[in-house]
Amino acid sequence: MVAVLQVTSSDQSQLLQAITDAPSFTSGSGAADIAIDETTVYQQMVGFGGSITDSAALAMFNLKNANADMYNKFLKNAFTSTGAALSYLRVPIGASDFSSSSYSLDDISGDTSFNSFNISNAPSYLFSTLADIYAVNPNVKIHILPWSPPAWMKDGNTMNGGSLKSGMVSPYPTYLLKAVQGFKAKNLPVEAISIQNEPQNSNPTYPSCTIDASTQATIAKSLRSLLDQNSLTDVKIIGYEHNWDDTSSYTIPMVDDAPNAFEGVAFHCYGGQVSQTAAFSAQFPNIPMYQTECAGTTGSDWWTDVQWYVNNLWSANNTATGMMWIFASADNGQSPYPGSNSCGDGCRGMSTVTTSSVTYNQEYYSMAHYARAFTSADGSTLGKRIQASGGSNLNVVAYATGDEYSLVVLNREAGEAASFLEVTVLTSTSCNQATFTFPSGLTTLWWTGSNTSTKRMIKKRRI
């Protein structure tokens, strides 16, 4: 048996580079520092990716018009299983802080029946870009959500900041239903919808809206009923969509109010610690947690960022998705929304895309190791996380995808060598061993297992 290896080194000399001298297994035995137990199974993975905002779609659309070959290569690199295997996209309903103007999908004041709802209020290049991605990878999942309800539904009559009027709680779920139907009419099936992006954020300079936990639960219950009545039972409602620090005060009472409406809750990385989400998983162990937004910072250190993303996002316990904010940016991530104070000096995209070049950033490379690890070769199946432990200077995550197993190792230090051992649970004296030297950086290993339950271990040494 031969393992397949891919490496991204901390000095960037190797970036998702396939290693041709992969180790072969020979008979061996001994103690191990890293143990993988595939009989202990954790969460089903749902996908990794980023947000296709209006600005991201425009950057990609402009590249397509300028250089179609480069654009097509970019899509294949990002969204196929031979590349980064990204498969989860978050898409705003109406304007966000990365739109060039304010708009909703129904801007006719008082239209509570939404007869003037028009999905094409969104720019055409948003849908053409999503269609191109979907053509490259039909397994891509699309998760939609609003940054704000229509201005006329809010107390300040503006998309920027404020709150949903109490009298609009009842009609608002119909607006969200129509958004799902609108995407479907564009041949873009929706995997999930959230009620509100960052429901505790009211910023007067860009589309945002506060909605409390009780109101979000009320809207979710009504929306669940509407989706079911319209043959959209497979569309998930994902609650919350805000920071780690209010896990207990917001997500738990919200789901308590509507336990049959929510099929997941989503978190952002801008407040608190990821460990605070443990309170939710302890209360609701069968409701998946999603990590749906975290922004790169312009000018930050490449290797420091990679380590932080791995430790807080990609390896987070009980988390089914891993996502960054903007998937593609034509510049340093400045908000194009007029007068916006969003992102300060810039929120770096996962990729920087101009009409003449594509640059893959640290968010892309670090995420790709994990997304590719749990995705089957044909992209149709995503794996489950399994037990992995050990290694004082290593962050270790393992997945099982059918009969394929994978291990992603973050080595914080240079000079780690490893002996790879395979030990069956029932006959632990029968082992296979291989040796690999982990560079400082990220390494992914894949191998094909048998149908029997096994424990696999890695023994490391310094060189």
Side-chain angles (χ1 to χ4, degrees):
M1 188 194 324
V2 178
V4 179
L5 301 167
Q6 193 173 58
V7 170
T8 293
S9 58
S10 60
D11 63 4
Q12 303 176 58
S13 61
Q14 296 171 298
L15 296 169
L16 292 175
Q17 183 172 322
I19 304 300
T20 56
D21 57 343
S24 296
F25 292 90
T26 58
S27 179
S29 63
D33 293 286
I34 297 175
I36 303 168
D37 180 2
E38 56 231 65
T39 65
T40 303
V41 180
Y42 300 120
Q43 70 271 24
Q44 170 67 54
M45 302 308 296
V46 175
F48 277 17
S51 294
I52 305 295
T53 61
D54 291 350
S55 63
L58 180 59
M60 297 169 72
F61 179 76
N62 288 340
L63 172 63
K64 179 182 180 179
N65 288 338
N67 191 327
D69 289 341
M70 184 180 292
Y71 174 73
N72 290 329
K73 181 179 180 181
F74 173 44
L75 294 187
K76 290 178 181 178
N77 283 345
F79 297 107
T80 68
S81 57
T82 57
L86 305 181
S87 63
Y88 204 87
L89 302 177
R90 195 161 162 264
V91 182
I93 299 171
S96 74
D97 47 330
F98 277 74
S99 298
S100 60
S101 63
S102 177
Y103 71 92
S104 76
L105 303 184
D106 189 340
D107 288 323
I108 304 302
S109 181
D111 182 23
T112 55
S113 296
F114 300 101
N115 295 319
S116 296
F117 182 96
N118 188 354
I119 191 69
S120 295
N121 284 2
S124 59
Y125 53 76
L126 171 65
F127 299 112
S128 64
T129 300
L130 290 171
D132 289 345
I133 295 171
Y134 194 69
V136 167
N137 181 2
N139 299 301
V140 161
K141 301 178 180 73
I142 296 174
H143 179 160
I144 63 174
L145 72 166
W147 264 239
S148 173
W152 54 269
M153 302 186 78
K154 298 172 66 182
D155 54 10
N157 200 38
T158 174
M159 296 273 287
N160 299 350
S163 301
L164 183 68
K165 294 176 182 176
S166 59
M168 294 297 170
V169 172
S170 179
Y172 189 49
T174 301
Y175 177 81
L176 299 176
L177 167 70
K178 285 184 172 288
V180 174
Q181 293 172 324
F183 273 79
K184 186 176 181 180
K186 296 282 189 180
N187 295 313
L188 296 168
V190 172
E191 168 76 11
I193 183 170
S194 291
I195 307 301
Q196 173 62 42
N197 178 66
E198 299 186 347
Q200 295 172 298
N201 176 30
S202 174
N203 188 306
T205 73
Y206 62 81
S208 54
C209 180
T210 57
I211 295 179
D212 62 37
S214 176
T215 302
Q216 186 165 163
T218 298
I219 294 170
K221 285 184 283 189
S222 179
L223 177 59
R224 180 73 273 160
S225 178
L226 289 172
L227 290 168
D228 293 348
Q229 291 167 20
N230 286 274
S231 302
L232 294 166
T233 56
D234 58 335
V235 177
K236 300 177 177 65
I237 299 175
I238 307 301
Y240 189 47
E241 287 278 359
H242 214 162
N243 295 331
W244 294 320
D245 52 4
D246 284 322
T247 298
S248 296
S249 61
Y250 197 111
T251 62
I252 291 175
M254 178 193 71
V255 175
D256 270 336
D257 279 356
N260 297 319
F262 294 105
E263 294 186 65
V265 294
F267 294 96
H268 298 182
C269 75
Y270 309 120
Q273 304 293 324
V274 66
S275 59
Q276 292 174 275
T277 64
F280 182 86
S281 59
Q283 185 85 4
F284 302 103
N286 297 319
I287 296 181
M289 296 193 302
Y290 291 41
Q291 173 64 46
T292 54
E293 188 179 316
C294 196
T297 303
T298 300
S300 59
D301 179 71
W302 195 94
W303 178 231
T304 299
D305 286 346
V306 167
Q307 293 179 83
W308 194 91
Y309 296 145
V310 169
N311 292 330
N312 292 277
L313 304 180
W314 318 146
S315 68
N317 291 336
N318 303 309
T319 303
T321 67
M323 304 187 73
M324 294 302 295
W325 174 206
I326 309 164
F327 173 69
S329 175
D331 48 29
N332 64 354
Q334 294 283 353
S335 169
Y337 192 83
S340 170
N341 66 8
S342 175
C343 280
D345 294 332
C347 291
R348 182 182 52 246
M350 292 176 60
S351 56
T352 303
V353 178
T354 70
T355 55
S356 60
S357 66
V358 173
T359 302
Y360 302 100
N361 297 322
Q362 51 263 54
E363 295 78 15
Y364 175 93
Y365 285 114
S366 62
M367 181 188 292
H369 272 273
Y370 294 83
R372 178 64 188 89
F374 59 69
T375 303
S376 65
D378 65 0
S380 64
T381 305
L382 302 185
K384 296 181 179 180
R385 187 159 166 183
I386 57 177
Q387 173 66 31
S389 60
S392 59
N393 293 312
L394 308 177
N395 179 302
V396 181
V397 174
Y399 305 98
T401 308
D403 66 350
E404 184 175 80
Y405 298 92
S406 58
L407 175 70
V408 188
V409 177
L410 169 71
N411 179 18
R412 302 181 184 90
E413 297 184 9
E416 295 281 345
S419 296
F420 193 89
L421 309 177
E422 180 182 65
V423 185
T424 65
V425 172
L426 297 178
T427 57
S428 59
T429 58
S430 175
C431 305
N432 290 320
Q433 178 175 320
T435 299
F436 176 70
T437 303
F438 287 106
S440 174
L442 278 166
T443 302
T444 304
L445 302 88
W446 293 269
W447 67 95
T448 301
S450 64
N451 292 326
T452 58
S453 296
T454 61
K455 285 188 177 180
R456 304 169 193 273
M457 295 177 284
I458 291 178
K459 180 173 62 180
K460 67 175 183 177
R461 60 183 174 86
R462 293 189 184 276
I463 58 172

